[in-house]
Amino acid sequence: KLVTPAVPILKQAVLVLDIINAKIDSAIKSLEALGIKLDGTVLTNIQNALSALTVVRAAIVKVLDFVGENFGIQSQSNEAFAQADLNAEIEKLKSLI
């Protein structure tokens, strides 16, 4: 019962994390399409950031599962998330908080 008011916030946080992940992935693919290959420290740092996002997302989904909210699998593709307006979604998250 104590977590129930936070459910919309947690769901929006997962959406924001999915969009961030997709935008980073899209940027990497765009660079590769231009012939720019990321490697070394830059790639390692990006991979570490993506891993951290994945861990945080998984933790939030576990909390949602624990309170009986079945968040499920992403309903949108990475391409759809990459096209989403990140700023608008962050503003929605801020308004929920």
Side-chain angles (χ1 to χ4, degrees), residues 20-35:
I20 292 169
N21 191 350
K23 287 194 177 287
I24 291 171
D25 186 53
S26 176
I28 290 171
K29 287 179 182 175
S30 295
L31 288 172
E32 288 175 352
L34 294 172

Side-chain angles (χ1 to χ4, degrees), residues 1 7 10 13 18 28 31 34 59 65 69 76-77 79 83-84 92 94 96-97:
K1 290 183 180 182
V7 168
L10 295 174
D18 286 341
I28 290 171
L31 288 172
L34 294 172
D65 285 343
E69 291 288 325
Q76 295 178 324
S77 67
E79 291 81 22
Q83 299 301 318
K92 285 181 192 175
K94 286 180 185 177
L96 289 170
I97 295 174

Side-chain angles (χ1 to χ4, degrees), residues 7-85:
V7 168
I9 297 168
L10 295 174
K11 286 184 174 182
Q12 185 66 23
V14 170
L15 177 63
V16 168
L17 291 172
D18 286 341
I19 292 170
I20 292 169
N21 191 350
K23 287 194 177 287
I24 291 171
D25 186 53
S26 176
I28 290 171
K29 287 179 182 175
S30 295
L31 288 172
E32 288 175 352
L34 294 172
I36 300 169
K37 186 79 172 156
L38 297 177
D39 58 3
T41 304
V42 172
L43 183 59
T44 300
N45 289 340
I46 291 170
Q47 289 171 335
N48 288 342
L50 290 174
S51 293
L53 289 174
T54 301
V55 169
V56 171
R57 183 190 188 283
I60 294 171
V61 170
K62 284 287 187 189
V63 169
L64 288 169
D65 285 343
F66 180 76
V67 297
E69 291 288 325
N70 293 329
F71 196 80
I73 300 171
Q74 293 178 358
S75 59
Q76 295 178 324
S77 67
N78 253 7
E79 291 81 22
F81 282 128
Q83 299 301 318
D85 184 352

